[in-house]
């Protein structure tokens, strides 16, 4: 060893000077700086990304929940998983969880980190908090207990195995956050996300309405498990002011061209997975509208049927209600000979990639308010009136998605409203509730996730689950989605604790508010 | 002109450049007294002594030795060579006698013109040299050839035993004419025939009138030889303190692998070379002594002529579960032409590689390229190989029940399309109402040969020509090579052209230069994908229903060019559509340039500067065409990249001897490494104008740039010390500075020491022991992070066409500001025994290798907001034993038999990942049912997945909701992904001009998860899906509560309710991956060209060659256990890649 050092002593200076190694680590920092990236974030840009991602990574953008709530199906048992619950495909349900944390959850965390301590950016902070609540609520409603308090802290706090928080605690915090954010919003302060706010363009008043609407939605979620808390939050939300006008609908607009991220993610997914050929025959994954949905629209003379549905006849799209026909969900892997005669989503409405995504509609508010009125938590209007407003709002909003093609005339709406009073299924509170959430199913389409949430809470609409060979649920609807299997490996202890608390990681385990 | 020392004279003639010569200098053992100087030289081959030197050098040496002056006409001595041995006898005679001796076999004469002055001139006649030596009226004539291929051997020294002054050197054709002094006429004459690299032979002259033909055998791998070690330094192998293995280039040029690295399989103990089944132009995976890094970046460093080259796969390795663009794009080694390889030395790690620093941590594969040789005229070598290949492994499917579902065969087109890949139909009965996906009626009968029908006979035609030559001041070799491969996959091709120029020159006595320039152009078309279904051309032949003749699906597209549907899932592409319409193409232009200058400041102090640049430009496009069933509007993926690795190195070597007992040699050097990758990833979808495939024709497209830059600066040194050439001590040290690490902690020093002891020279051992050597070494190497920009969190913009810009964190990998160097420590001991005059040898090595502070990008729960975290705390242990046995059972002049057996066992254990983290996933199968994980406390790269849940009595516990066996959790260890035990057995017979050699190799102890079997189960192709076909399947087990459970699955639901769901139980598809294969057979014949005098051919040989001919033993029924699809770390997953093949062909070698 000694010799080595002697050797060094002799040659080192010569070598270094010859190689012009003035310092052996000169310029290293510059070399190790990525020329294609910046070192400090722009919260506005990240916020826009978080908005896009929060919408894209939801239970709606895969056809899974659309199938589950019996809007769509496929003869193919892989793509038809949502309507068939095939055990072999159960891991499909994990993808929302798997995709969300490294996208919208990470991004909204970065936004909050950047704006949180800046007094002038109080509106930015408040809006980011509201969006964070939206993102987490979508997740926990699908899975139950999820990482929340420690989630997204991989970089900031080196938390690599976040614990799963009980849904009860998550809900408590989400509601608290909404409350705080709604109160913090200051319309007088003009520092906002501005154009980066793809929902309201920096309108703090509208964000306040969105916050209270979410509060009403989440409050209502607890009707089964904790009615008192539900009432308290719903009342608070209504007092704060929820979205009830067409102009306040929370939505994100999309472009028809350019990058995928700029396109309506539900429409894009449906197009890419099935309907891009627009001929009714070559549907890639064998997708069609499901029988129960089309039958229901048809039986109720629903004017929306021709807005959303087509049958291709000799390559021509025909929206006439009489030709519409839904595909049974029980087809066992064989493309039916009359596949071309079944209804599928309309290119000019449901499949428009430049249509906005509606994330909280006036219709939803009215239906929730109607339920609140039924429960005597809200007395300013009758349940019947609120329900009717809900039905009308649900009809009206189709023109947002589809312009002229989706405009439903007031005559059509009036006729439909007259034929479908809140007492349509009977006059008891339960009957009226059923009527509200049956309309919710027909009216809120394609937001299958909210339909699924309210179905689990209220039991409506009364859909008959499919009993397909090899299904994982003994012919029953899911009550939740499965965690990604890698959580068993990468987050073992947290996963085990969640399963021990919530119940087995299977479709039929009920989450906290569904108990 | 200054007086040259002998050492310096020799340098340009050899590959041993500055450093090598310095070592050679102190290892010389020229017998200074006694009577047998020639032996001393010829036996001492370990120093790579030349057998000839130029006459001019010899005269110069004579001048300096006797301090005389010699005058001669300019140019008189040019191109004249003499046996090197002549100079060794000078000291035994006076100057005049020495001169006389020197001119023995030349046409030169001398005249003494003063006390210490001579003049040299051309004598009038060759018959009667003016020296006055009387010669035999008939000289001894003869020819020397190589036993291996019958080629003529020039420059072989032929001398008389006991009269070494009588010597001659064979000419270019191997012929010699030895003039024997008259006074020896009546004595019994014995010729000693010796040449570098060949075993010295003694031939008794029975009839001096008769021409003698002598075949020389290449010298065995004895301890006497010289081995190329780190930085290209040549050392005598007796001095090595660690295990290395050298393979001659000729081992790669007969039975060829396109990728030379694949040809290492079975040849070297401890080297696990995995052939990747991705077709011609595919990459290789070589792991030495176990995976050394948790990230799987465990492949060795490849070095050409002492300088590192790049071995990356452009755009990264394929993954086990990718789709469409998941092709093996080929690695850096794929561009190396085996004809240019002189030898490959495997430095197995530790001390051997310590001088290379971090990148040598996983061992180093040193490639020495061929150089020119001094000779008159131009040497021409032509090598041509044609090989054919066919699918060699076929699945063992069931052929009792044919296409269909629920026990019913299809009788309509729709039913046929729905069940195109399902074999749950009726009993195969030859009935004629069966309709297949082509819409036609066919007999309902088994189709067993779909692999044979779909895949073609592949072929590879390689032609190389090399020109070489030179003189004492300049040597050159230029080779041109063309390799043309047609895959077994229709329309899939690969072409490689290489040009390699090696120039070396001695500019003055002290100044030498060398340069190697290699250019290669690789072009590939339609490489096969593997992994998941979409775009995988192997999907249909493996998964089509068993009553379908796959050719019914040809050509796979309709009149518009759109994919023809053949099954229920559009994602499972029609393979004919893939091979006919998908378009993959790539080309790689690569340039490797090396230039070095070395200068002897003093006789024993040499400086050398080298600059190497390995640069490639790569273009890749992968077009998913318009009309694909799954992606009707098409997709586009492309990579354009420029990658370069530049190294600048300066070394100084100093050699001396103390008191004739101690040899010391010292090396010091510095290196600067610059690595740059500039890449654009192009992606897009939806061709605006259908069927027109241009990046400009995409409705949605984006271009993402990536620039990666890494710099590493190093200083290093080594010292070699020996005592009487019995005890050798080596020490090295190196300090590296890494740009990829935290600036607070970016440097590391690491040392190595090694000891070698020649027991047989130190003490008297039994006569059977020719050599006994004990060696031990300890080494540490350290390294920086493999990727740049791993220190700080950054933000990047996201391609977007909306009015608002989008941004997010650049990477889903958590950066680490504290990143510090990792270390890898190896301890190795070994013994080497040569017995029975080197007829048997044993080389045994035991090693313990431990990596600490490994820099690992650990997959973490995505709920952290990130997918991975770069941690700096991994610990991994590899321990193993390697054995090499060599035996020469028979060795006579006409017949010889050589055998060699190697075996290695490596035990790996993941000791630590990071606090609280116990799993590191390297990859997973399509559909995510099998994972390759590194779990703490377990072996590296094991297979994990689900088992069926059983109770204590072994009953299957059923999930009563699903009506299926319940799953365990996913963390069940199901087997090792990497075989711990590997062996190779070679045997070579030589009989006169014939030789036969074979290589049998085996790997044992690993498991393979088969995705092909998963699908073949879900689709009813495997024999294991036969139960229940007639009357339904009765499942029995227990409920979770322990009550008896029975369920009957009716025939109609057999697939959908049961077999389709068996993918949930990973264990069902995990099989023992052990095998023994006949890897290689070569039968060659040296054509006796001398009899034909044809075209001035010096030698010619023809060989019949075969690779992967037979599998003697395997446990997998349906696939080849070597069916790997990626050269990445996740080994142990088969995923419907290109089937394995056997190849056979013919090789022709001609020398002019």
């Amino acid at each position: 060893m000694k010799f080595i050092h002697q050797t060094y002593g002799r040659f080192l200076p010569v070598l270094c000077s010859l190689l012009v190694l003035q310092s052996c680590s000169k310029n290293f920092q510059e070399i190790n700086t990525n020329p294609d990236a910046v070192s400090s974030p722009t919260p506005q840009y990240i916020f826009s990304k978080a908005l896009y991602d929060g919408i894209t990574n939801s239970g709606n953008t895969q056809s899974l929940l659309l199938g589950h709530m019996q809007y769509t199906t496929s003869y193919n048992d892989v793509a038809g998983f949502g309507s068939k619950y095939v055990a072999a495909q159960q891991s499909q349900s994990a993808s929302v969880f798997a995709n969300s944390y490294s996208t919208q959850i990470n991004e909204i965390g970065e936004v909050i980190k950047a704006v949180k301590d800046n007094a002038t950016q109080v509106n930015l902070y408040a809006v980011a908090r509201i969006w964070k609540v939206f993102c987490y609520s979508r997740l926990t409603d699908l899975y139950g207990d999820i990482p929340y308090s420690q989630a997204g802290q991989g970089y900031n706090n080196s938390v690599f195995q976040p614990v799963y928080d009980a849904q009860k605690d998550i809900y408590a915090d989400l509601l608290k956050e909404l409350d705080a954010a709604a109160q913090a919003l200051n319309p007088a302060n003009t520092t906002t996300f501005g154009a980066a706010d793809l929902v309201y363009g920096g309108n703090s008043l509208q964000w306040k309405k969105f916050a209270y609407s979410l509060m009403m939605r989440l409050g209502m979620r607890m009707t089964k498990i904790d009615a008192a808390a539900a009432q308290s939050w719903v009342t608070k939300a209504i007092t704060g002011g929820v979205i009830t006008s067409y102009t306040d609908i929370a939505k994100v607009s999309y472009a028809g061209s350019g990058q995928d991220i700029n396109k309506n993610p539900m429409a894009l997914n449906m197009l890419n997975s099935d309907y891009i050929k627009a001929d009714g025959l070559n549907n890639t994954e064998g997708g069609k509208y499901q029988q129960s949905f089309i039958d229901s629209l048809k039986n109720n003379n629903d004017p929306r049927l021709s807005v959303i549905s087509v049958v291709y006849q000799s390559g021509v799209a025909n929206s006439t209600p009489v030709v519409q026909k839904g595909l049974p969900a029980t087809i066992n892997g064989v493309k039916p000979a009359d596949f071309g005669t079944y209804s599928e989503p309309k290119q000019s409405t449901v499949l428009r990639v430049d249509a906005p995504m509606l994330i909280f509609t006036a219709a939803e508010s009215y239906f929730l308010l109607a339920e609140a009125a039924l429960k005597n938590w809200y007395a300013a209007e009758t349940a019947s009136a609120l329900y009717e407003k809900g039905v009308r709002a649900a009809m009206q909003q189709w023109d947002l998605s589809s312009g002229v093609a989706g405009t439903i005339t007031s005559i059509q709406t009036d006729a439909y409203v007259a034929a479908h009073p809140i007492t349509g299924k009977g006059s008891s509170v339960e009957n009226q509730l059923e009527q509200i959430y049956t309309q919710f199913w027909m009216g809120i389409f394609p937001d299958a996730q909210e339909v699924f949430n309210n179905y689990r809470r209220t039991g409506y609409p009364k859909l008959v689950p499919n009993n397909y060979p090899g299904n994982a649920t003994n012919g029953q609807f899911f009550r939740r989605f499965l965690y990604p299997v890698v959580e068993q490996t990468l987050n073992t202890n947290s996963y085990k604790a969640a399963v021990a608390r919530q119940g087995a990681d299977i479709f039929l385990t009920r989450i906290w508010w569904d108990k | 002109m200054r007086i040259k020392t002998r050492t310096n004279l020799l340098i340009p003639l050899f590959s041993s450049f500055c450093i090598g010569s310095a070592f050679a200098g102190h290892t010389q053992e020229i017998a200074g007294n006694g009577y047998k100087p020639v032996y001393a030289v010829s036996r001492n081959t370990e120093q790579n002594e030349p057998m000839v030197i130029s006459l001019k050098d010899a005269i110069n040496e004579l001048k300096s030795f006797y301090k005389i002056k010699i005058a001669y006409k300019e140019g008189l001595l040019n191109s004249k060579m003499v046996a090197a041995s002549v100079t060794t006898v000078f000291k035994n005679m006076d100057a005049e006698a020495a001169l006389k001796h020197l001119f023995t076999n030349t046409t030169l004469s001398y005249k003494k013109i003063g006390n210490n002055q001579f003049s040299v001139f051309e004598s009038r006649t060759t018959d009667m040299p003016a020296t006055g030596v009387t010669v035999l009226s008939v000289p001894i004539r003869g020819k020397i050839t190589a036993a291996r291929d019958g080629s003529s051997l020039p420059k072989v020294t032929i001398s008389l035993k006991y009269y070494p002054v009588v010597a001659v050197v064979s000419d270019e054709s191997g012929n010699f004419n030895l003039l024997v002094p008259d006074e020896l006429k009546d004595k019994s004459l014995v010729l000693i025939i010796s040449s570098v690299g060949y075993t010295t032979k003694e031939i008794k002259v029975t009839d001096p009138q008769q021409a003698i033909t002598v075949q020389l055998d290449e010298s065995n791998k004895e301890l006497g030889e010289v081995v190329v070690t780190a930085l290209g330094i040549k050392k005598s192998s007796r001095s090595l303190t660690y295990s290395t293995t050298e393979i001659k280039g000729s081992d790669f040029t007969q039975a060829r692998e396109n990728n030379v690295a694949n040809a290492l399989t079975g040849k070297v103990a401890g080297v696990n070379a995995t052939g990747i089944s991705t077709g011609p132009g595919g990459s290789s995976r070589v792991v030495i002594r176990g995976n050394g890094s948790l990230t799987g970046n465990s492949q060795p460093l490849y070095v050409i002529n002492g300088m590192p080259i790049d071995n990356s796969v452009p755009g990264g390795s394929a993954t086990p579960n990718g789709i469409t663009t998941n092709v093996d794009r080929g690695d850096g080694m794929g561009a190396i032409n085996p004809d240019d390889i002189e030898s490959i030395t495997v430095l197995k790690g530790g001390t051997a590689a310590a001088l290379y620093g971090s990148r040598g941590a996983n061992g180093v594969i040193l490639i020495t390229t061929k150089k020119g040789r001094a000779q008159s005229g131009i040497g021409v070598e032509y090598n041509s190989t044609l090989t054919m290949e066919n699918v060699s492994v076929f699945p063992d499917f069931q052929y009792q029940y044919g296409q269909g579902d629920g026990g019913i065969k299809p009788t309509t087109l729709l039913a046929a399309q729905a069940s195109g890949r399902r074999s749950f139909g009726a009993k195969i009965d030859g009935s004629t109402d069966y309709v297949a996906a082509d819409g036609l009626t066919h007999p309902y009968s088994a189709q067993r040969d779909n692999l044979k029908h779909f895949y073609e006979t592949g072929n590879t035609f390689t032609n190389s020509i090399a020109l070489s030559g030179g003189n004492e001041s300049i040597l050159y070799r230029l080779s041109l090579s063309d390799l043309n491969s047609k895959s077994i996959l229709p329309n899939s091709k690969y072409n490689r052209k290489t040009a390699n120029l090696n120039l070396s020159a001695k500019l003055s006595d002290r100044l030498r230069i060398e340069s190697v320039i290699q250019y290669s152009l690789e072009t590939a078309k339609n490489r096969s994908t593997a992994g998941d279904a979409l775009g995988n051309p192997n999907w249909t032949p493996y998964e089509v229903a068993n009553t379908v003749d796959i050719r019914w699906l040809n050509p796979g597209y309709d009149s518009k060019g759109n994919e023809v549907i053949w099954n229920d899932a559009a994602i499972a592409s029609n393979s004919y559509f893939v091979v006919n319409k998908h378009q993959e193409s790539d080309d790689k232009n690569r340039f490797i340039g090396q230039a070095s200058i070395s200068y002897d400041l003093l006789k024993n102090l040499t400086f050398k500067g080298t600059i190497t640049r390995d640069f490639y430009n790569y273009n890749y496009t992968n077009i998913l065409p318009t009309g694909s069933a799954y992606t009707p509007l098409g997709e586009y993926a492309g990579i354009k990249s420029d990658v370069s690795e530049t190294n600048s190195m300066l070394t100084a070597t100093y050699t001396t001897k103390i008191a004739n007992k101690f040899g010391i040699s010292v090396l010091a050097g510095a290196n600067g490494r610059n690595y740059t990758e500039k890449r654009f990833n192009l992606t897009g979808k939806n061709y605006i104008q259908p069927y027109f495939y241009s990046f400009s024709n995409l409705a949605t497209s984006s271009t993402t740039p990536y620039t990666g830059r890494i710099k590493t600066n190093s200083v290093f040194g080594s010292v070699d010390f020996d005592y009487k050439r019995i005890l050798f001590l080596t020490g090295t040290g190196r300090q590296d500075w890494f740009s990829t690490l935290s600036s607070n902690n970016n440097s590391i020093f690491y040392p190595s020491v090694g000891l070698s002891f020649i027991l047989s020279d130190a003490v008297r051992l039994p006569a059977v022991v020719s050599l006994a050597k004990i060696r031990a070494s300890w080494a540490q190497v350290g390294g920086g992070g493999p990727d740049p920009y791993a220190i700080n969190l950054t933000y990047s913009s996201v391609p977007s066409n909306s009015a608002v810009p989008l941004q997010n964190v650049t990477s889903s990998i958590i950066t680490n500001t504290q990143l510090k160097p990792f270390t890898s420590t190896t301890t190795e001991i070994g013994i080497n025994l040569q017995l029975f005059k080197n007829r048997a040898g044993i080389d045994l090595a035991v090693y313990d290798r431990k990596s600490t502070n490994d820099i690992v990008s650990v997959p973490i729960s995505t709920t952290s907001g990130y997918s991975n975290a770069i941690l700096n705390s991994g610990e991994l242990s590899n321990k193993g034993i390697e054995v090499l046995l060599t035996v020469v059972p028979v060795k006579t002049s006409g017949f010889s038999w050589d055998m060699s057996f190697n075996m290695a066992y490596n035990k790996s254990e993941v000791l630590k990942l990071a606090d609280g983290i116990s799993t590191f996933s390297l990859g997973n199968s399509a559909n995510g049912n099998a994972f390759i994980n590194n779990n703490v406390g377990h072996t590296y790269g094991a297979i994990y997945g689900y088992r069926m849940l059983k109770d204590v009595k072994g009953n299957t516990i059923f999930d009563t909701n699903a009506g299926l066996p319940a799953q365990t959790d996913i963390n069940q260890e199901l087997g090792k992904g990497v075989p711990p035990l590997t062996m190779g057995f070679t045997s070579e017979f030589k009989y006169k001009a014939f030789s036969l050699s074979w290589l049998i190799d085996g790997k044992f102890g690993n498991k393979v998860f088969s995705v092909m079997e998963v699908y073949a189960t879900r689709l009813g192709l495997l024999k294991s899906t036969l139960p229940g076909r007639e009357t339904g399947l009765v499942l029995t087990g227990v409920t979770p509560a322990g009550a008896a459970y029975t369920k009957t699955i009716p025939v109609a639901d057999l697939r959908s309710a049961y077999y389709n769901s068996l993918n949930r139980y990973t264990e069902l598809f995990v099989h023992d991956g052990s095998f023994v294969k006949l890897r290689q057979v070569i039968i060659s014949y040296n054509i006796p060209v001398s009899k034909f005098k044809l075209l001035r051919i010096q030698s010619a040989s023809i060989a019949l060659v075969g690779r992967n001919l037979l599998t003697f033993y395997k446990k997998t029924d349906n696939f080849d256990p070597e069916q790997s699809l990626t050269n990445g770390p996740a080994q142990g997953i088969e995923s419907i890649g290109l089937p394995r093949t056997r190849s056979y062909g013919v090789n022709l070698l001609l020398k002019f």
Side-chain angles (χ1 to χ4, degrees), chain B residues 864-979:
Chain B
S864 65
Y866 294 83
S867 63
N868 293 66
I870 298 174
L871 301 174
N872 207 175
S873 52
E875 282 185 24
L876 176 65
S877 154
N878 279 285
K879 293 176 184 173
I881 182 163
E882 290 161 359
V883 182
L884 171 68
L885 300 174
T886 50
V887 183
V888 186
V890 183
K891 192 174 184 183
T892 67
S893 60
F895 179 68
S896 71
W897 178 17
D898 285 34
M899 281 197 295
S900 156
F901 175 76
N902 71 72
M903 190 191 81
Y905 182 81
N906 182 73
K907 180 180 184 296
S908 66
E909 187 182 355
V910 179
L911 301 175
K912 187 184 170 195
L913 288 166
D915 291 335
I917 292 184
S918 58
T919 293
F920 171 27
S921 182
L922 294 164
N924 58 273
S925 67
N927 290 320
N929 290 317
F931 284 78
I932 306 295
N933 290 347
N934 288 333
N935 282 11
V936 172
H938 296 254
T939 186
Y940 178 96
I943 305 169
Y944 291 83
Y946 299 103
R947 293 180 193 273
M948 282 187 187
L949 197 61
K950 304 274 183 185
D951 68 9
V952 286
K953 290 175 193 157
N955 298 313
T956 304
I957 299 173
F958 274 76
D959 168 353
T960 52
N961 284 319
L964 290 164
Q967 290 170 301
T968 61
D969 66 69
I970 200 169
N971 297 320
Q972 304 292 312
E973 186 177 346
L974 301 173
K976 296 180 166 76
V978 181

Side-chain angles (χ1 to χ4, degrees), chain A residues 470-483:
Chain A
N471 76 72
T473 63
N474 205 11
Q476 303 167 67
F477 281 120
F478 303 160
R479 305 307 297 200
R480 63 182 285 276
F481 281 7
L482 306 187
Y483 298 127

Side-chain angles (χ1 to χ4, degrees), chain A residues 7 24 32 38 42 49 77 89 101 106 110 152 154 161 195 258-260 262-263 285 337 474 485 487-489, chain B residues 414 666 685 700-701 713 789 795 800-801 804 807-808 861-866 916 919 946 961 970-971 1018:
Chain A
T7 312
C24 284
N32 204 28
V38 293
T42 307
K49 178 79 173 12
D77 54 29
Q89 297 298 323
Y101 283 97
N106 176 291
E110 285 293 323
Q161 294 163 319
Q259 303 298 324
D260 281 356
N262 307 123
K263 295 174 184 166
E285 294 279 21
N474 205 11
V485 292
E487 282 289 294
Q488 294 181 28
T489 308
Chain B
L414 276 173
V666 179
K685 57 175 101 176
T700 304
S701 63
N713 290 326
Y789 322 136
Y795 302 85
S800 163
N801 288 47
V804 296
Q807 191 183 64
N808 58 7
S861 170
T862 58
T863 59
S864 65
Y866 294 83
T919 293
Y946 299 103
N961 284 319
I970 200 169
N971 297 320
R1018 299 176 64 186

Side-chain angles (χ1 to χ4, degrees), chain B residues 154-219:
Chain B
K155 300 191 192 85
V156 177
T157 304
I158 299 101
S159 60
L160 274 185
K161 198 171 182 180
Y162 313 120
Y163 307 93
V165 294
V166 182
V168 74
V169 174
S170 65
D171 67 12
E172 290 308 314
S173 310
N175 296 317
F176 68 90
N177 236 354
L178 183 70
L179 305 175
V180 181
D182 211 14
E183 67 259 32
L184 301 178
K185 203 157 122 191
D186 303 323
K187 308 239 161 121
S188 157
L189 298 178
V190 176
L191 299 182
I192 293 176
I193 297 153
S194 60
S195 183
V196 176
Y198 292 89
T199 310
T200 299
K201 255 189 179 171
E202 295 188 10
I203 303 282
K204 196 168 176 191
V205 181
T206 45
D207 178 5
Q209 313 280 331
Q210 193 75 33
I212 298 166
T213 304
V214 182
Q215 283 197 339
L216 286 189
D217 292 313
E218 282 170 58
S219 48

